[in-house]
Amino acid sequence: MPPRLNVLSLARTIPYRPKAQAQWLSRPTMRLAPTQTRAYSDAKSEDKVPAADRSKRIDAKPLGHVSEEASQMADITGGEGPDLSQGTPVQDIVKGDKKAQEKLPKVMQEQLKSNASSAPKGSRSYSTTTTPIGGGSGAFDMGLMSFTSPPVEAVPAAPGLKFEMPVLPLPKDGHVKHRYDPVVDQVTNLLMRHGKKSVAQRNMALILQQLRTASVPTINPQRPLLPGAPPPSHLPLNPVLYLTLAIDSVSPLLRIRSQKGAAGGGVALQIPVPLGQRQRRRIAIQWILGAASKRKTNTSGKTGYAQRVASELIAVIEGRSSVWERRNMVHKLGISARANIVLPRKR
């Protein structure tokens, strides 16, 4: 038979450690909030000046003394103010206090008595007279006039008017609605989207800034600008002239209108119609803005569109823009369609 095994002798003790449980610390129900005030630390500060006096803000600095304020006012007005280097004499401080005068030294008491006996009875160190200027002595009037401003001559106004008449002719930018150049105003209105005029004005300012800081353009002789245009080196100096010259150079002189039934049988005819100055500029601006929207954006952000428009205006001046081809095409159509114009017969 196999030997018997003692089960108890083979048993192995396994240490068992219970998991430590987190004990919640008791907290008081009421917590004291930290104080919002900070005490002055005289030990750390060398000059021992409060924090309010060391502040750099103007509204946080303490007010100066009355004598300092009077001295500053005297410097502004040009008068004589108190001397800050010297203090107020003791005699002036205790002049109205008899108890304080009794405790003064005998030298000061005798000086006060001598000053009181030498001054005439009823006299004062300052004047309380109510006599108007010009009613007293000449020296008194001259002394007061030296501290007063010179008289201002009244300008006679026209009868029935509260204010003066305006100076004629009126300036061109005097009216609030017409204070900008007409070309700048028209381009701003065409730049505007969704009624946001301020955004259009910001883009217009960026466009003029880009034209002003751009290099001198190179003129293409095959696509000349308007006759009488300034030299290219003068254009960046005047960005409004730069903008006006670019728009007027590519503005078409006419437009093509399709008139139905003019040829008979419902066939439409192309009839050229002349345009006014504002109409020509409107079409040119629309062409330039359309060509600028097709350009690649070199920068990101709010200034990207304005830079594209400015680059297109520079390309118009240099003859590299596609707007010149559209203008030439419209003029060719107008020349070929001028035969369709029917002049009125003379009676």
Side-chain angles (χ1 to χ4, degrees):
M1 293 181 62
R4 294 183 180 180
L5 298 176
N6 190 3
V7 181
L8 298 177
S9 62
L10 297 176
R12 186 178 180 183
T13 59
I14 300 176
Y16 174 74
R17 296 180 181 178
K19 186 177 181 182
Q21 296 182 358
Q23 297 182 1
W24 294 94
L25 300 177
S26 60
R27 297 183 179 180
T29 56
M30 296 180 61
R31 298 181 63 184
L32 297 178
T35 57
Q36 300 296 329
T37 58
R38 183 174 59 184
Y40 295 140
S41 57
D42 296 341
K44 295 182 180 179
S45 59
E46 298 177 358
D47 50 354
K48 296 184 180 181
V49 180
D53 298 352
R54 298 194 304 267
S55 177
K56 297 182 180 180
R57 294 177 53 185
I58 300 177
D59 55 350
K61 293 182 178 180
L63 296 177
H65 196 266
V66 179
S67 301
E68 297 177 359
E69 185 179 356
S71 177
Q72 294 177 1
M73 185 61 67
D75 294 342
I76 296 173
T77 57
E80 295 182 0
D83 191 1
L84 299 180
S85 60
Q86 298 180 0
T88 306
V90 181
Q91 294 84 349
D92 296 344
I93 297 175
V94 299
K95 184 176 290 186
D97 193 354
K98 293 184 178 181
K99 293 183 179 180
Q101 291 179 7
E102 294 176 355
K103 298 179 180 179
L104 288 177
K106 291 184 179 181
V107 179
M108 291 186 179
Q109 291 180 3
E110 293 176 359
Q111 188 177 1
L112 287 175
K113 291 180 181 180
S114 62
N115 293 337
S117 61
S118 61
K121 190 176 181 180
S123 64
R124 296 182 180 180
S125 59
Y126 55 91
S127 175
T128 57
T129 178
T130 57
T131 307
I133 299 175
S137 60
F140 178 73
D141 294 343
M142 291 300 294
L144 289 179
M145 288 297 292
S146 62
F147 291 99
T148 57
S149 59
V152 180
E153 298 180 0
V155 179
L161 295 179
K162 185 176 181 181
F163 303 100
E164 299 179 2
M165 288 287 292
V167 180
L168 297 178
L170 295 176
K172 295 182 180 180
D173 56 349
H175 199 281
V176 67
K177 294 184 178 180
H178 307 289
R179 62 185 183 274
Y180 299 118
D181 189 83
V183 178
V184 175
D185 197 10
Q186 189 174 10
V187 176
T188 304
N189 292 334
L190 292 176
L191 283 171
M192 182 173 53
R193 294 291 181 269
H194 309 291
K196 297 180 180 180
K197 187 69 171 289
S198 60
V199 178
Q201 290 176 345
R202 181 188 62 196
N203 291 334
M204 188 72 251
L206 292 174
I207 291 170
L208 295 178
Q209 178 71 9
Q210 187 75 10
L211 295 178
R212 187 182 66 84
T213 57
S215 58
V216 178
T218 304
I219 306 300
N220 188 359
Q222 296 181 357
R223 292 175 176 176
L225 303 177
L226 290 178
S233 59
H234 293 184
L235 293 179
L237 303 177
N238 192 348
V240 178
L241 178 61
Y242 203 150
L243 176 69
T244 306
L245 183 62
I247 293 173
D248 289 344
S249 297
V250 295
S251 58
L253 300 177
L254 47 89
R255 68 181 181 90
I256 305 301
R257 178 172 61 88
S258 297
Q259 185 174 354
K260 296 182 179 180
V267 180
L269 283 181
Q270 304 291 334
I271 298 176
V273 179
L275 298 175
Q277 184 183 30
R278 188 173 178 84
Q279 293 174 331
R280 297 197 303 267
R281 287 176 175 174
R282 180 182 179 85
I283 295 176
I285 294 170
Q286 289 177 346
W287 287 350
I288 293 173
L289 295 181
S293 62
K294 298 177 183 178
R295 280 178 167 267
K296 294 182 179 181
T297 306
N298 297 329
T299 58
S300 61
K302 298 180 180 180
T303 61
Y305 183 64
Q307 291 184 0
R308 283 184 289 169
V309 175
S311 301
E312 188 65 27
L313 289 170
I314 297 174
V316 167
I317 293 294
E318 294 181 350
R320 297 181 289 101
S321 178
S322 61
V323 180
W324 287 96
E325 300 176 359
R326 298 189 63 175
R327 176 179 178 271
N328 296 336
M329 182 181 62
V330 171
H331 285 180
K332 288 180 180 179
L333 288 176
I335 292 173
S336 61
R338 64 184 178 182
N340 301 331
I341 300 176
V342 179
L343 299 176
R345 298 179 181 178
K346 295 182 180 180
R347 295 183 179 178

